[in-house]
Amino acid sequence: MKTGKNYKFWFATGSQDLYGDSCLANVAEHSKIIVDQMNKSGMLPFEVVWKPTLITNELIRKTFNEANADEECAGVITWMHTFSPAKSWIIGLQEYRKPLLHLHTQFNQEIPYDSIDMDFMNENQSAHGDREYGHIVSRMGIERKVVVGYWNDKNVIAKIGSWMRTAIGVMESSHIRVCRVADNMRNVAVTDGDKVEAQIKFGWEIDAYPVNEITDYVKEVTPGEVSALLDEYYAQYNMILDGLDAAEFKKHVAVQAGIEIGFEKFLEEKNYQAIVTHFGDLGELQQLPGLAIQRLMSKGYGFGGEGDWKTAAMVRLMKIMAAGVKDAKGTSFMEDYTYNLVPGKEGILQAHMLEVCPSIANGKVSVRVNPLSMGDREAPARLVFTSKTGPGVATSLIDLGNRFRLIINAVDCKEVEKPMPKLPVATAFWTPQPSLQIGAEAWILAGGAHHTAFSYDLSVEQMEDWAAAMNIESVIIDNDTNIRTLKNELRWNSIAYR
Ligand code: MN
């Protein structure tokens, strides 16, 4: 999945000229070693670029403005090696508009007990210089990530790498354009919201098209194009005919191939990275887009069902943030469908009527063609699978009328106890943290939707930091959640975010 940019992060070290040239030479040398080692660690998803030591108001201001102007710069990592009087940072920080990380580290891991003197203390005083810097960033109310620890510690580098993905989410949010095929489902509250505010807050462009405008692109797809894509499907997926005649089955699958090609052409031509459909407004489409949408999601497009543009944008955003994760397990649109309430086996069966992304599939993916009452069209072909196990994060962005709230739930995905041969849709099964009872109670109190944007490859912390950077409220539901505390948090947030 391409974002079109080769993002990098700048490493800016703060100091001052009080301690002489040899001290400044050491500062520069040390920060170069740190940057070099971090790049060599193989743990960072993006390159770190060393910048000359910042010691004056003018240079700080210039560097931050260059970071703003550089399209490839996705954020600045700052560290005060010595003391750096923080008034020098005010104007630069005021004018800076990109993600900021404060690495609170020190070049030496251990106090050199035998040799330590005052020169050493002055040169290596981030314990003191970083507090001065942290003060001004807090006073100015600037959102930033603080990472504390020895720079060559794996956990510290991993935290920086994790934050880089959040920063990419911040940078790329304003490049997300959602194509709405028809309007939201009538009478549904949670999938609707203020699109103008979404553009102000997140930079999302959300446009609607009459369904037949995109259907025209489907009609223009040639039989040759459909046939080539069908070959790909038949090579890649297991076909479950369910007693259907093989030729009849293939005709149904071919309809989805036409939709995939036509929709993708439309989205590419008009530069959209996310799409919503609505089963109640299918125009001349022969089937509700199922397999076609599943394939588009696996290519990196965001999707939301029933016109849910907020979830579509979040799925796209989370796919961008997770892009390139080693051994990625997948990111998808999802819906809370039905419960297992048996004690000790509690969980939520996740699915949608069709549209779950095969990136989360565990093993082989199959194609099935089954009737669907929703949509009033012929039986749609869809990809069917069960999903991987392990921890994941489910998010729901809701519009509360005066603000957005991102609800973030840590969930544990499990294997379903038994196969479900009569269920012709892709599924996942998870238990929300801290338990089904408390997790679902917290989700409902927070106003979370039935639709979610879900990923195995992102963490609660990354999504929480993204929300903070976008200046919106977030509510975390995880193993630390306690209902009484959560109720108070919601009460206090309603004042803090008024
Ligand atoms: Mn739905």
Side-chain angles (χ1 to χ4, degrees):
M1 186 178 30
K2 295 248 157 47
T3 59
K5 292 197 190 71
N6 180 24
Y7 281 120
K8 295 176 171 68
F9 289 82
W10 290 12
F11 192 95
T13 309
S15 189
Q16 62 174 332
D17 55 11
L18 196 64
Y19 309 115
D21 288 345
S22 77
C23 172
L24 281 173
N26 287 341
V27 166
E29 178 63 20
H30 292 166
S31 65
K32 272 183 190 167
I33 291 169
I34 291 175
V35 168
D36 204 39
Q37 188 54 38
M38 281 187 179
N39 284 327
K40 278 186 190 153
S41 72
M43 294 175 66
L44 297 181
F46 299 92
E47 188 190 340
V48 181
V49 178
W50 180 85
K51 290 286 158 184
T53 312
L54 301 180
I55 53 171
T56 63
N57 304 26
E58 292 70 26
L59 186 58
I60 292 168
R61 185 178 193 175
K62 183 167 170 280
T63 303
F64 276 123
N65 276 295
E66 283 168 1
N68 284 336
D70 186 329
E71 284 210 346
E72 291 192 338
C73 174
V76 176
I77 299 168
T78 49
W79 168 50
M80 305 305 120
H81 189 306
T82 70
F83 196 75
S84 178
K87 286 184 187 174
S88 306
W89 290 77
I90 291 174
I91 297 196
L93 286 169
Q94 237 161 16
E95 293 175 355
Y96 181 59
R97 293 189 309 270
K98 290 185 176 177
L100 182 67
L101 183 139
H102 179 185
L103 175 62
H104 182 43
T105 191
Q106 179 173 283
F107 185 68
N108 54 302
Q109 187 171 28
E110 190 177 22
I111 294 174
Y113 296 103
D114 298 334
S115 61
I116 190 165
D117 57 12
M118 278 318 289
D119 286 343
F120 181 92
M121 294 267 273
N122 287 332
E123 192 176 293
N124 298 281
Q125 54 171 308
S126 39
H128 156 185
D130 270 334
R131 280 174 165 74
E132 163 76 357
Y133 171 72
H135 164 76
I136 204 67
V137 184
S138 285
R139 171 160 175 169
M140 292 172 74
I142 294 170
E143 185 58 41
R144 87 290 207 187
K145 181 74 177 173
V146 180
V147 173
V148 179
Y150 183 52
W151 54 273
N152 207 13
D153 179 295
K154 278 195 167 53
N155 293 324
V156 169
I157 301 176
K159 275 188 180 177
I160 295 169
S162 164
W163 168 80
M164 283 178 165
R165 295 191 173 280
T166 301
I168 297 303
V170 173
M171 295 299 295
E172 281 292 319
S173 188
S174 61
H175 298 286
I176 293 176
R177 302 180 75 240
V178 184
C179 172
R180 301 172 69 221
V181 178
D183 205 338
N184 292 57
M185 183 176 164
R186 279 184 289 281
N187 287 318
V188 177
V190 80
T191 57
D192 220 328
D194 185 338
K195 296 188 286 294
V196 178
E197 194 59 23
Q199 187 158 1
I200 293 170
K201 275 276 184 290
F202 311 118
W204 300 345
E205 291 179 50
I206 304 138
D207 303 324
Y209 287 84
V211 59
N212 283 342
E213 209 164 306
I214 193 166
T215 307
D216 285 345
Y217 280 63
V218 176
K219 286 196 220 157
E220 281 163 21
V221 176
T222 66
E225 289 175 299
V226 168
S227 159
L229 189 55
L230 275 176
D231 288 348
E232 196 182 317
Y233 292 174
Y234 274 73
Q236 195 173 342
Y237 308 122
N238 181 32
M239 300 292 158
I240 301 179
L241 298 188
D242 291 314
L244 276 179
D245 170 70
E248 178 65 17
F249 179 92
K250 197 166 190 174
K251 269 202 315 204
H252 282 251
V253 181
V255 170
Q256 293 288 334
I259 296 173
E260 179 183 338
I261 296 166
F263 273 32
E264 193 168 12
K265 269 186 199 159
F266 185 90
L267 296 172
E268 263 190 31
E269 196 179 296
K270 298 186 180 334
N271 188 30
Y272 290 101
Q273 300 80 32
I275 183 170
V276 303
T277 58
H278 175 7
F279 66 85
D281 194 350
L282 293 175
E284 294 181 64
L285 288 173
Q286 280 173 263
Q287 298 175 10
L288 175 64
L291 187 153
I293 288 292
Q294 294 176 288
R295 298 252 318 168
L296 288 173
M297 257 193 282
S298 70
K299 290 174 182 173
Y301 287 93
F303 175 77
E306 297 88 54
D308 187 349
W309 53 268
K310 295 195 301 298
T311 308
M314 285 305 299
V315 170
R316 168 66 183 171
L317 179 89
M318 289 168 70
K319 280 180 176 283
I320 294 168
M321 287 171 66
V325 165
K326 196 167 170 284
D327 304 321
K329 292 167 76 177
T331 300
S332 181
F333 168 65
M334 203 52 102
E335 181 169 86
D336 297 300
Y337 234 114
T338 202
Y339 285 128
N340 190 43
L341 295 174
V342 176
K345 298 172 179 174
E346 295 98 336
I348 316 170
L349 188 66
Q350 301 288 323
H352 201 254
M353 56 183 84
L354 302 173
E355 314 91 335
V356 179
C357 179
S359 64
I360 66 170
N362 189 17
K364 188 91 174 171
V365 174
S366 302
V367 177
R368 288 178 76 171
V369 173
N370 286 79
L372 183 73
S373 58
M374 314 291 274
D376 193 26
R377 292 291 184 280
E378 67 174 48
R382 77 290 303 270
L383 298 172
V384 179
F385 51 84
T386 53
S387 300
K388 300 178 184 87
T389 56
V393 61
T395 70
S396 170
L397 181 68
I398 59 168
D399 185 341
L400 290 170
N402 62 345
R403 68 184 186 278
F404 289 108
R405 169 185 288 162
L406 185 68
I407 299 150
I408 307 164
N409 194 181
V411 301
D412 295 306
C413 300
K414 301 167 178 175
E415 241 173 85
V416 278
E417 252 187 295
K418 296 170 191 170
M420 300 172 285
K422 291 188 174 171
L423 187 66
V425 289
T427 59
F429 181 80
W430 72 52
T431 308
Q433 288 186 10
S435 65
L436 176 63
Q437 285 76 9
I438 297 172
E441 183 177 348
W443 187 271
I444 285 169
L445 287 170
H450 50 282
H451 286 168
T452 56
F454 163 80
S455 181
Y456 290 104
D457 306 319
L458 296 170
S459 67
V460 165
E461 186 180 353
Q462 285 171 315
M463 298 314 299
E464 182 185 11
D465 288 345
W466 179 82
M470 304 314 284
N471 195 25
I472 64 157
E473 177 192 1
S474 64
V475 172
I476 313 300
I477 304 169
D478 64 7
N479 281 334
D480 293 331
T481 294
N482 162 295
I483 294 297
R484 190 184 300 153
T485 312
L486 180 102
K487 280 183 175 173
N488 275 331
E489 181 185 336
L490 296 175
R491 200 172 283 137
W492 297 329
N493 280 1
S494 70
I495 295 166
Y497 288 90
R498 188 158 55 182

